[in-house]
Amino acid sequence: RHGWERFGWICDVNELILANDGKVRAVVIGVGGFLGMGERDVAVAFNSLKITRDDDNDEVITIDATKDALSNAPQWERRGTSG
């Protein structure tokens, strides 16, 4: 079974935010919406994520936050980036 089948909710990892030293500082995830419509981006600290593997050796990324907490988090907006 896929992670979304077990846990009932899935979000997309849309971007990684790097610090000046090149390490991942935060992850931008898409929350809410349905089939890509109405989704909004929220940045979460990289160290708040837990990355494991499931029985099929697929990566599973979890965060200790409720769906409501993520849905109500401030929307992340890109600014001052190049590229």
Side-chain angles (χ1 to χ4, degrees):
R1 293 177 13 148
H2 296 286
W4 63 269
E5 292 172 333
R6 282 192 293 242
F7 302 113
W9 187 60
I10 190 168
C11 64
D12 298 319
V13 174
N14 294 334
E15 258 182 86
L16 301 176
I17 300 172
L18 303 178
N20 289 336
D21 62 4
K23 293 182 180 177
V24 178
R25 181 173 149 197
V27 176
V28 177
I29 58 174
V31 298
F34 181 72
L35 298 176
M37 297 184 64
E39 180 180 274
R40 53 190 211 89
D41 288 334
V42 172
V44 296
F46 182 71
N47 63 3
S48 70
L49 302 176
K50 181 178 178 183
I51 303 171
T52 58
R53 295 208 173 258
D54 65 11
D55 295 338
D56 295 324
N57 206 32
D58 294 323
E59 286 184 341
V60 177
I61 302 171
T62 57
I63 185 170
D64 188 19
T66 65
K67 182 178 179 178
D68 286 339
L70 292 173
S71 294
N72 292 319
Q75 184 167 339
W76 179 81
E77 295 184 28
R78 179 181 307 170
R79 60 180 179 250
T81 60
S82 60

